[in-house]
Amino acid sequence: LGSLEELARWHMPADCTIAATRDINRPQGPRGPAIWANGFNSGVMLIKPNRSFASQMIADMLADKVNYININSRGSDQEFLNAYVHLRWVELPIRYGANLILYSAMRDKWDGAGTKHIIHYTMEKPWRSTCNTKYAAPCQLWKQVKTCDQVGCF
C-alpha cells in the first residue's frame, strides 16, 4: 500500500538477523483480550543474509536442539524462529506488517500506526472472500491496489 524504501535501508544490529512486527496473543482464548506477545509475527520479516547463522540454525534444527513445540503449538516456522532467535530480533513499526487482528482486537494500535505500507491479512483473505465482515474496511484497501497485470509493472 505504501513505499517500502525505508525497509531497504533498515538498520539491523550486528547481533540480529530478523526484523518483524510484534505478534499478538489472546491467552484467554479467541474472545479474550489481546495483548502483545514477547515474540514476532513471521508474516512480514526482514532477514539479514548471514551464511554462518543459517548454517548453524539448520544444524541445530536437524540435531533437534531447538525446543519450540508446546501443548498449544502447531510447530510453525514462526514458533521455530522465535525460539531460535529468542529476543535477538528488531521490532518493525506496525505500518510495515499491520496484522489484521489489530483492526478488531487492538483498534487503538491499528489507528495509531498511521498509513499502512503492508497489511498482513491474517483473519480474512480478501482474495478468497467478499470481506463482508468486521474487516471490510481493511479488505477494501487490498481491492483498491492496482496489480502489475493491471498497470504493467515491467
Side-chain angles (χ1 to χ4, degrees):
L1 298 173
S3 173
L4 303 181
E5 206 171 309
E6 182 183 10
L7 288 179
R9 296 185 310 272
W10 198 263
H11 172 72
M12 193 84 76
D15 64 335
C16 293
T17 303
I18 294 175
T21 55
R22 187 164 297 279
D23 201 17
I24 300 152
N25 279 341
R26 284 196 147 153
Q28 298 174 10
R31 301 214 190 299
I35 61 171
W36 290 116
N38 289 329
F40 57 86
N41 185 289
S42 66
V44 177
M45 294 187 298
L46 290 179
I47 301 173
K48 178 172 63 176
N50 183 320
R51 185 173 302 219
S52 62
F53 173 85
S55 296
Q56 187 62 54
M57 181 177 67
I58 291 168
D60 290 347
M61 183 178 66
L62 292 174
D64 205 21
K65 291 183 177 179
V66 184
N67 181 14
Y68 69 101
I69 299 176
N70 62 49
I71 196 163
N72 297 317
S73 171
R74 293 184 299 276
S76 70
D77 64 309
Q78 178 173 305
E79 291 162 349
F80 173 81
L81 288 169
N82 270 287
Y84 194 74
V85 302
H86 189 51
L87 300 176
R88 294 181 332 267
W89 60 280
V90 176
E91 186 171 353
L92 292 176
I94 292 169
R95 69 182 174 270
Y96 290 119
N99 191 326
L100 196 56
I101 189 64
L102 283 173
Y103 186 77
S104 64
M106 298 173 102
R107 186 63 179 269
D108 60 323
K109 304 297 184 195
W110 176 276
D111 292 342
T115 301
K116 313 305 178 286
H117 294 254
I118 301 172
I119 296 177
H120 182 195
Y121 288 99
T122 52
M123 307 308 293
E124 190 79 38
K125 310 294 186 195
W127 53 91
R128 286 195 222 151
S129 151
T130 57
C131 284
N132 293 329
T133 67
K134 59 185 170 188
Y135 303 109
C139 285
Q140 191 59 36
L141 293 172
W142 183 85
K143 293 177 181 188
Q144 292 171 359
V145 172
K146 301 289 186 206
T147 67
C148 288
D149 291 341
Q150 294 168 320
V151 296
C153 297
F154 302 100

